[in-house]
Amino acid sequence: MTDIRTAFPTVSSRLVTTPRYAAQVFERAAGTGDEASAPTVVFVHGNVSSSLFFLPLMSALPTAVRALAVDLRGFGGSETLPVDASRGIRDFSDDVASVLDALEIGAAHLVGWSMGGGVIMQLLLDRPELVASLTLESTVSPYGFGGTALDGSLLSDDGAGTGGGGVNPDFVARLAAGDRTDEAGTSPLAVYRSSYVAPGFVSEFEGLWVESMLTTAIGDDNYPGTSTASEHWPGFAPGVSGVLNTMAPTVFDTSAIVDVEPKPPVLWIHGALDAIVGDASFFDFNQLGAAGIVPGWPGVDVAPPQPMLAQTRALLERYAERGGAFTELALEGCGHSPHLERPDEFRAALLAIIG
């Protein structure tokens, strides 16, 4: 396995204890030695991952920039604590805020990948003074994952088809067992290759990314979380605890960022071949139903796939109409991980928004 100390010698790690949790934080210090005056970028990872995914990008940033990455609770080297999904994504966003407070960072340039995009949008709502800019990478929709129409309205009152019941149980079992093989399509390595990156992408750090995925804490209080029965297709609805339920549309809605003042600049960067976040995502149960993979789909009038990209674009256009500024960078041939697949373009766009 990759030795991160030799592969990324400029990045160090430490455990930061806050009133909320003990967080593993990676840091690539500014080369000036003056951390107080250097612009600070803080990376927030997504679901079934950790800050390890950001080490190459952190190492490649100019030395005038200070870069940190925070492991969320139940991921990476951070403390495993229950995730209260009745609060939406706030257990995670409050945790990140507690790290920024503990390190006395103040306003930082926040980068959120996938679920991490939802975390930093929520942080902007609750602690706007901590946000200098937002970079939303392959972000979850502002209305959560699954179960909503274009305007964010619920397709069913209980969010049927979303939350902790929507994950393949064999994938969860293989995570819990520490499966490092590619013997099945549900093996973490196979899922990484098929979903995290575009087909054909090759990385020398592939084994490290699998190790990152395997740090995910498994259980009802963590990943994937609980579920409840539903009278609506496909028969399950979100539970009240665990990671996937934090993004259920019944509890997750960050669309109020359009009213935040002042409005920090926003960069939205995503890949055209993203298998996870898209207007026809096969991680969306309604899309699986429409494709005939899950039987009994009630049709597009009742259970249309979530238009995730269209929702994010419409929200950011409203953000701009109300005085904000955003840039969209859509990368052809790129999957769910632009910072891995197209690092030069990602880094240039990030430095542009930092200014």
Side-chain angles (χ1 to χ4, degrees):
M1 186 183 121
T2 300
D3 184 338
I4 61 174
R5 291 169 298 181
T6 53
F8 311 105
T10 61
V11 180
S12 61
S13 67
R14 54 177 157 157
L15 201 64
V16 176
T17 301
T18 81
R20 289 188 54 80
Y21 82 135
Q24 177 168 263
V25 178
F26 288 91
E27 179 172 4
R28 202 296 311 271
T32 61
D34 184 5
E35 304 302 324
S37 63
T40 299
V41 180
V42 176
F43 296 93
V44 181
H45 64 82
N47 188 19
V48 192
S49 65
S50 74
S51 296
L52 291 177
F53 274 88
F54 290 122
L55 298 190
L57 176 60
M58 293 171 67
S59 300
L61 287 173
T63 56
V65 175
R66 180 189 186 190
L68 297 98
V70 180
D71 281 342
L72 301 174
R73 62 172 61 194
F75 295 96
S78 286
E79 183 179 7
T80 295
L81 292 173
V83 177
D84 179 4
S86 69
R87 305 184 68 232
I89 205 86
R90 281 188 172 90
D91 266 1
F92 294 135
S93 60
D94 286 351
D95 285 350
V96 173
S98 74
V99 173
L100 299 183
D101 289 340
L103 297 178
E104 299 182 340
I105 288 176
H109 300 276
L110 302 182
V111 179
W113 174 38
S114 195
M115 181 181 76
V119 173
I120 65 173
M121 283 191 280
Q122 188 65 58
L123 187 57
L124 174 61
L125 287 174
D126 296 338
R127 297 288 304 277
E129 76 279 6
L130 295 179
V131 184
S133 71
L134 282 186
T135 295
L136 304 173
E137 179 190 5
S138 308
T139 184
V140 62
S141 160
Y143 304 110
F145 201 95
T148 56
L150 177 59
D151 64 359
S153 58
L154 291 172
L155 301 178
S156 63
D157 57 1
D158 62 355
T162 71
V167 67
N168 188 309
D170 192 58
F171 174 60
V172 177
R174 288 176 180 276
L175 282 175
D179 180 7
R180 293 170 174 81
T181 73
D182 61 356
E183 65 182 17
T186 50
S187 297
L189 175 55
V191 171
Y192 159 79
R193 289 173 176 168
S194 66
S195 303
Y196 284 43
V197 294
F201 175 75
V202 177
S203 169
E204 64 180 303
F205 300 118
E206 190 175 72
L208 184 62
W209 309 149
V210 173
E211 294 302 322
S212 174
M213 295 169 72
L214 293 176
T215 66
T216 303
I218 303 300
D220 286 349
D221 285 334
N222 297 102
Y223 182 82
T226 58
S227 66
T228 58
S230 173
E231 63 180 351
H232 305 288
W233 186 89
F236 69 87
V240 297
S241 64
V243 175
L244 293 185
N245 294 314
T246 68
M247 294 177 283
T250 49
V251 295
F252 183 104
D253 185 346
T254 58
S255 61
I257 65 170
V258 299
D259 297 319
V260 168
E261 294 294 346
K263 291 180 170 61
V266 176
L267 168 65
W268 176 32
I269 181 168
H270 57 97
L273 299 181
D274 192 333
I276 298 175
V277 176
D279 288 343
S281 169
F282 277 86
F283 284 73
D284 178 356
F285 248 74
N286 289 353
Q287 179 61 38
L288 294 175
I293 297 171
V294 178
W297 182 58
V300 70
D301 291 338
V302 176
Q306 181 188 16
M308 303 177 191
L309 299 181
Q311 288 176 333
T312 298
R313 187 173 295 109
L315 180 83
L316 292 178
E317 287 172 351
R318 291 205 307 276
Y319 188 84
E321 289 168 359
R322 299 185 188 187
F326 85 94
T327 301
E328 177 181 355
L329 179 57
L331 298 174
E332 294 297 324
C334 182
H336 189 61
S337 309
H339 71 283
L340 298 182
E341 301 169 71
R342 305 283 276 276
D344 293 343
E345 289 158 278
F346 190 98
R347 185 172 62 251
L350 175 60
L351 294 175
I353 199 171
I354 291 173

